[in-house]
Amino acid sequence: MHLPAPGPLGDCLRDWEELQQDFQSIQETHRLYRLKLEELTKLQNGCTGAITRQKKQLQELALVLKKCKPSLQLGAREAAQELENQIKERQGLFFDMEAYLPKKNGLYLSLVLGNVNVTLLSKQAKFAYKDEYEKFKLYLTIILILISFTCRFLLNSRVTDAAFNFLLVWYYCTLTIRESILINNGSRIKGWWVFHHYVSTFLSGVMLTWPDGLMYQKFRNQFLSFSMYQKGFQSWMWRGLTFLLPFLFFGHFWQLFNALTLFSLARDPECKEWQVLMCGFPFLLLFLGNFFTTLRVVHQKFHSQRRGSKKE
């Protein structure tokens, strides 16, 4: 048996012995972790397969009910309707279950990330990712307001304009990826609010390629002023604040004004750039989508408030 050497070397040897014991505990914990991970993978695969099979059977059952329902007597028809309601409820439960199970990425995420599993397996992780997504939007919105203000009032350079538009492209691309991950984890983000970020990415990309010239300078200040206004009234800032709705609708009509301005510039005999029309159409599409989607949301909230007041 060797006695530990005196002095600093002896202290190092004693520390090493403690680390060895701790390492053995780490190895055992890691072994258990890998076993649990394999069990978890098997449970995930089994649950996913069972849900897929039952969803297929439910679809077949719903189809049979739909075909035979018209020929049923009144009492049987009510029973069939009740069964249809239960089938719809079951499908909603499956949607909640699948939010915690790995799933294949959609086309967009597959193109961007490949087959990487982006499913978050706990509520805490989902809430943390959603919170980080909201913070990302807030911080980038502040940065974009400052840059657009600088470009509009302090600098008139195509280089700084290009940097601003490049940041817009990156911002909207990042939003589409993050929103796709949120949807993959059960978030119920409405279709238009996702799609309009794809349109905005395309629009920002076209603005980035627009060369400096007479047509660009005629639209530049209007676009930068609109960018400042739009970033200042994001939907998350007026959620629940009805008195700000006129400002939001004003922003929508500003998009229409941008589209009409660009269509007017496109008719100018001196207009040679294809970017003029290619920016006009996305602005028109953004106006139509934002305006009618906001109208629908306001209409739904108004009716839900009326139903709530009637119940009281």
Side-chain angles (χ1 to χ4, degrees):
M1 181 176 178
H2 298 283
L3 294 174
L9 179 59
D11 295 337
C12 290
L13 290 173
R14 281 190 294 271
D15 291 342
W16 174 252
E17 289 297 325
E18 293 177 2
L19 289 172
Q20 281 288 85
Q21 295 175 3
D22 190 37
F23 177 69
Q24 291 175 0
S25 175
I26 292 172
Q27 279 186 313
E28 179 62 19
T29 303
H30 186 263
R31 185 185 68 82
L32 291 173
Y33 163 74
R34 292 186 62 181
L35 287 174
K36 296 295 183 183
L37 193 60
E38 290 177 3
E39 293 176 12
L40 175 63
T41 303
K42 291 178 182 178
L43 285 172
Q44 287 174 341
N45 293 336
C47 193
T48 301
I51 289 175
T52 302
R53 286 192 301 272
Q54 184 155 136
K55 284 174 71 175
K56 184 179 178 181
Q57 292 170 350
L58 287 174
Q59 288 176 352
E60 294 173 352
L61 180 59
L63 186 61
V64 172
L65 280 174
K66 187 177 180 180
K67 289 181 178 178
C68 71
K69 190 176 177 181
S71 61
L72 296 175
Q73 298 295 327
L74 181 60
R77 191 176 299 174
E78 292 176 354
Q81 182 62 48
E82 178 63 25
L83 184 55
E84 284 183 343
N85 294 337
Q86 291 179 359
I87 290 173
K88 289 179 182 179
E89 183 180 350
R90 180 70 54 82
Q91 290 170 340
L93 292 173
F94 282 148
F95 179 85
D96 295 334
M97 290 180 185
E98 287 173 329
Y100 294 91
L101 292 170
K103 58 178 71 68
K104 290 183 179 180
N105 294 336
L107 177 62
Y108 181 65
L109 278 181
S110 296
L111 290 173
V112 175
L113 302 177
N115 293 323
V116 176
N117 180 23
V118 295
T119 304
L120 304 172
L121 299 180
S122 69
K123 281 187 177 181
Q124 291 79 4
K126 294 178 190 291
F127 287 141
Y129 189 80
K130 182 67 164 59
D131 183 60
E132 201 275 332
Y133 161 79
E134 297 293 345
K135 288 179 181 177
F136 170 79
K137 288 200 299 182
L138 175 62
Y139 297 152
L140 262 294
T141 295
I142 295 171
I143 292 171
L144 288 167
I145 290 175
L146 294 175
I147 296 177
S148 59
F149 178 86
T150 302
C151 291
R152 174 65 178 84
F153 296 107
L154 303 179
L155 298 173
N156 188 350
S157 167
R158 189 66 186 91
V159 175
T160 52
D161 289 1
F164 173 66
N165 284 305
F166 179 80
L167 184 60
L168 282 177
V169 173
W170 175 79
Y171 170 67
Y172 286 122
C173 282
T174 306
L175 280 186
T176 58
I177 295 171
R178 289 175 180 242
E179 286 166 351
S180 296
I181 293 174
L182 286 171
I183 292 170
N184 216 46
N185 283 277
S187 179
R188 299 177 185 268
I189 303 175
K190 299 300 181 182
W192 168 251
W193 302 122
V194 177
F195 180 71
H196 97 284
H197 285 151
Y198 291 95
V199 179
S200 298
T201 303
F202 174 80
L203 173 61
S204 302
V206 176
M207 288 292 302
L208 179 62
T209 65
W210 193 346
D212 196 6
L214 179 62
M215 297 299 110
Y216 178 80
Q217 289 298 327
K218 283 185 175 181
F219 184 66
R220 176 184 182 273
N221 289 343
Q222 181 175 325
F223 171 72
L224 290 172
S225 299
F226 166 75
S227 296
M228 284 188 291
Y229 187 90
Q230 180 193 38
K231 296 301 170 185
F233 287 95
Q234 294 286 342
S235 61
W236 49 264
M237 295 179 69
W238 64 270
R239 194 170 297 164
L241 302 178
T242 308
F243 69 91
L244 286 179
L245 278 176
F247 297 97
L248 187 70
F249 280 113
F250 179 78
H252 295 342
F253 279 102
W254 198 338
Q255 290 173 329
L256 177 62
F257 177 60
N258 288 341
L260 295 176
T261 301
L262 289 164
F263 292 149
S264 176
L265 290 176
R267 292 195 299 269
D268 193 310
E270 298 186 33
C271 178
K272 307 297 181 184
E273 300 94 333
W274 59 268
Q275 287 90 347
V276 178
L277 271 180
M278 285 298 102
C279 287
F281 288 119
F283 269 120
L284 180 60
L285 179 59
L286 286 171
F287 161 72
L288 293 172
N290 287 333
F291 179 72
F292 287 108
T293 302
T294 303
L295 274 183
R296 183 172 56 83
V297 171
V298 171
H299 182 264
Q300 290 174 347
K301 287 187 176 181
F302 175 74
H303 278 278
S304 63
Q305 288 175 355
R306 285 188 62 183
R307 285 196 296 267
S309 60
K310 286 181 180 178
K311 288 179 180 178
E312 292 175 1

